[in-house]
Amino acid sequence: SLLLNLYYTQRYIEYSFFNQLKDLIIILFLSLTMGLIMFYFSNFFEMNLLQILFSSLIGFIFYFLSAWFFKLGDIQLIPKYFK
């Protein structure tokens, strides 16, 4: 399914296979790193609710700042909504 999507995206909107992979690898790297950080910080608390809240907050902050650093397009639009 992924390969079909990559193929037809390349064919119809001329978005090359390598550009698509580059975009996917950045997002995959950020997501996996965020998951590892959330897992690490969730072990600081014994209560499940605190684990979820604290690790989610840390994960959101990490992903937002990392996406801002790597200049992912959608993240760049968020501050415009708050002006």
Side-chain angles (χ1 to χ4, degrees), residues 10-72:
Q10 178 181 359
R11 183 173 176 188
Y12 289 113
I13 64 172
E14 298 177 4
Y15 187 42
S16 76
F17 178 77
F18 294 108
N19 284 338
Q20 292 178 61
L21 282 180
K22 184 184 83 165
D23 291 342
L24 286 174
I25 287 173
I26 291 171
I27 293 170
L28 182 63
F29 173 74
L30 290 179
S31 299
L32 289 174
T33 307
M34 179 190 66
L36 290 173
I37 289 172
M38 289 176 67
F39 178 75
Y40 175 76
F41 280 104
S42 69
N43 293 324
F44 287 161
F45 300 99
E46 291 183 17
M47 290 180 53
N48 290 337
L49 181 61
L50 288 177
Q51 285 178 342
I52 292 170
L53 292 175
F54 186 71
S55 63
S56 296
L57 178 65
I58 294 295
F60 172 77
I61 291 170
F62 170 79
Y63 191 86
F64 181 79
L65 292 177
S66 298
W68 187 268
F69 177 76
F70 286 111
K71 295 181 174 50
L72 296 180

